[in-house]
Amino acid sequence: SVATLLWSALIGFGFFCVLQYESTPGDANVPPVTWPSESSLVPEPNRLNLILAFHPRCPCTRATIDEFAELIAQKPHSIVTHVLVFKPSSSESGWERTDMWRRLAAIPGTILRSDVESMEAKRFGLVSSGHVLLYDKKGRLLFSGGLTNARGHAGDSVGRNAIMAILNDSVPEQNTTPVYGCSLFGKLLPSIERCSECRE
């Protein structure tokens, strides 16, 4: 019947929108090639320093945390991680301390910081949740990008493989990858409301 055909078309369109959204990367700026002198973050000189910026209400970023945890589990003493957690200036105390904060806090070598209006993230050119930067012991950028191949999908990824190659003193196939996450500033892609939790 016509109604059945219309219903099938709507379901198909819905699946298309979801797939399109999952495969659409977030915005990405060009990060500084050396550790920015204006940053208040202090890099550890004897280890690689990783920057991870995330929005604590973005469900897309849960997969990034899965990949990050797996990465650190394989090389727990090679990296110190500085996690920048977006916090609106108008939010109440503890707004940013979600289950994702608590999970990251339990990972060895991870330092979390509430980043009001993402001011620190901006110094590193970070605008999307889940963006990772890896700097060497001299403060030179080695990798910039995401740890997942799509929004909300954990598993083998180009980004994680690239960082693992660096940790194993190999040359990665890519040193930049797309970032699949919501805006650090609470804005959503207009195509779908799946990440509505990212709103303030």
Side-chain angles (χ1 to χ4, degrees):
S1 68
V2 174
T4 301
L5 289 174
L6 287 173
W7 180 249
S8 298
L10 285 172
I11 291 175
F13 180 71
F15 277 118
F16 170 77
C17 288
V18 170
L19 290 173
Q20 183 182 46
Y21 181 77
E22 289 177 348
S23 61
T24 301
D27 294 331
N29 292 332
V30 178
V33 295
T34 57
W35 195 276
S37 59
E38 66 272 21
S39 173
S40 62
L41 300 182
V42 179
E44 188 169 317
N46 298 319
R47 285 196 286 176
L48 300 181
N49 285 266
L50 185 145
I51 306 292
L52 167 61
F54 83 94
H55 191 304
R57 305 298 175 91
C58 174
C60 308
T61 306
R62 295 183 189 281
T64 295
I65 294 174
D66 289 342
E67 294 304 299
F68 172 72
E70 179 66 23
L71 183 70
I72 298 302
Q74 294 185 50
K75 293 283 186 176
H77 306 297
S78 300
I79 304 175
V80 58
T81 302
H82 309 266
V83 181
L84 301 173
V85 188
F86 169 70
K87 177 179 171 60
S89 57
S90 59
S91 64
E92 67 276 11
S93 176
W95 178 92
E96 74 282 19
R97 293 178 179 259
T98 62
D99 62 308
M100 288 190 280
W101 171 295
R102 292 188 290 272
R103 185 174 179 199
L104 281 165
I107 298 174
T110 301
I111 306 166
L112 281 84
R113 169 184 294 204
S114 299
D115 193 14
V116 178
E117 298 299 342
S118 291
M119 293 303 297
E120 190 64 50
K122 291 174 184 176
R123 295 187 176 107
F124 286 88
L126 304 175
V127 295
S128 291
S129 184
H131 198 152
V132 168
L133 304 176
L134 182 65
Y135 287 87
D136 70 9
K137 297 175 183 179
K138 294 183 178 180
R140 297 172 299 196
L141 184 65
L142 300 176
F143 172 83
S144 171
L147 298 181
T148 64
N149 289 335
R151 289 176 180 266
H153 287 270
D156 190 44
S157 70
V158 177
R160 194 183 79 181
N161 291 341
I163 293 180
M164 281 304 303
I166 294 170
L167 295 179
N168 291 322
D169 297 320
S170 299
V171 178
E173 293 183 7
Q174 296 177 216
N175 56 15
T176 59
T177 59
V179 181
Y180 293 98
C182 299
S183 168
L184 282 175
F185 313 108
K187 298 177 182 178
L188 306 180
L189 290 179
S191 58
I192 197 168
E193 294 295 319
R194 183 173 178 179
C195 268
S196 59
E197 292 179 45
C198 299
R199 295 177 175 177
E200 298 178 20

